[in-house]
Amino acid sequence: MPRLFLPVEENPRTIHITGEKAHYLASVLRCKEGEELEILDGKGHSYRAKITSIVKKEITADVLGAVTHSTESPINLILIQGLLKGEKMELVIQKATELGVSKILPVVTERSQVRNTGKTGRWRKIAEDASRQSGRTAIPIIHEPVAFRDIFSGDSPYAPYFRKCKGLLFWERKGIRMKKGMESLEGCRSLIVAVGPEGGFTEGEVQVAEDHGFLVASLGSRILRAETAAIAVIALSQFLFGDMG
Ligand code: SAH
């Protein structure tokens, strides 16, 4: 059944699809009247709907009912990612989405080689495509990049996350093993994980995060590339606290 994300209100009765998405259904997938679709609102709700008419690239569908199964992880996992060059950042967004993160916050750090990307729109599209492909019912929120140190200031829009979530910052030079950190993370439903850019975090940045309650964590004795580290951290978090493995 074709699946598509549409910003519909909660429990709609009829759905109208226009523009690019209608074109995709009618011309690319060649959907016909009577066919069923799964409509995802991107916030975790999904509905089964039947196409009742296709007129001039406008599709109308009647909602048959809400789909109750959820493919979302029981943990709210937020990835803070030091900006990476071009395709590496896109890879992290795609893989992090498949692995079930709920938010990605790209950050500019002292050693970031990339500072201003103008790529947020493209990243959001990648996240939407990866959500659809992986059968997720929600699309992770991709924030605009911000300076790493600014996220900790009291008036930062991210400050509320730090109050309700446990944070782990991954540092290749020292840190607790995730398994060991588990006791203090036991029962935690929200987790923030921070991975540096290609050049890693500076000592000063690690200190700021520690001062704000982050645990400094290690991924073992091998130094991983930033994109490998991000994927490993998310998979391990879902294994230890979420729904993988
Ligand atoms: N420039 C550094 C490596 C940075 S690796 C050097 O060459 O020494 C990029 C990011 O991946 C780091 O900021 C860290 O968040 C993460 N990372 C890679 N290997 C890691 C490890 N063994 N333990 C914890 N974090 C690691």
Side-chain angles (χ1 to χ4, degrees), residues 81 84 111 169-175 194-202 217-230 233:
Q81 175 65 60
L84 304 174
R111 295 199 187 127
L169 177 134
F170 287 83
W171 203 28
E172 60 284 2
R173 287 180 39 199
K174 76 165 201 324
V195 175
E198 291 91 341
F201 289 115
T202 61
S218 161
L219 289 167
S221 48
R222 289 173 295 282
I223 295 177
L224 308 176
R225 288 197 184 246
E227 62 276 27
T228 316
V233 161

Side-chain angles (χ1 to χ4, degrees), residues 17-37:
I17 309 165
T18 55
E20 218 182 279
K21 295 196 174 172
H23 170 76
Y24 175 72
L25 290 173
S27 309
V28 182
L29 297 183
R30 303 206 170 272
C31 288
K32 300 274 179 289
E33 285 169 15
E35 269 185 57
E36 288 188 14
L37 308 169

Side-chain angles (χ1 to χ4, degrees), residues 22-23 30 38 41 45 53 59 67 74 87 94 99 111 113 118 121 123 129 155 164 176 185 218 232:
H23 170 76
R30 303 206 170 272
E38 188 176 349
D41 72 353
H45 304 110
S53 80
I59 297 178
V67 180
E87 284 180 5
Q94 187 191 59
L99 291 165
R111 295 199 187 127
Q113 296 179 45
W123 295 336
D129 288 347
D155 57 355
K164 62 172 198 246
I176 53 155
L185 298 171
S218 161

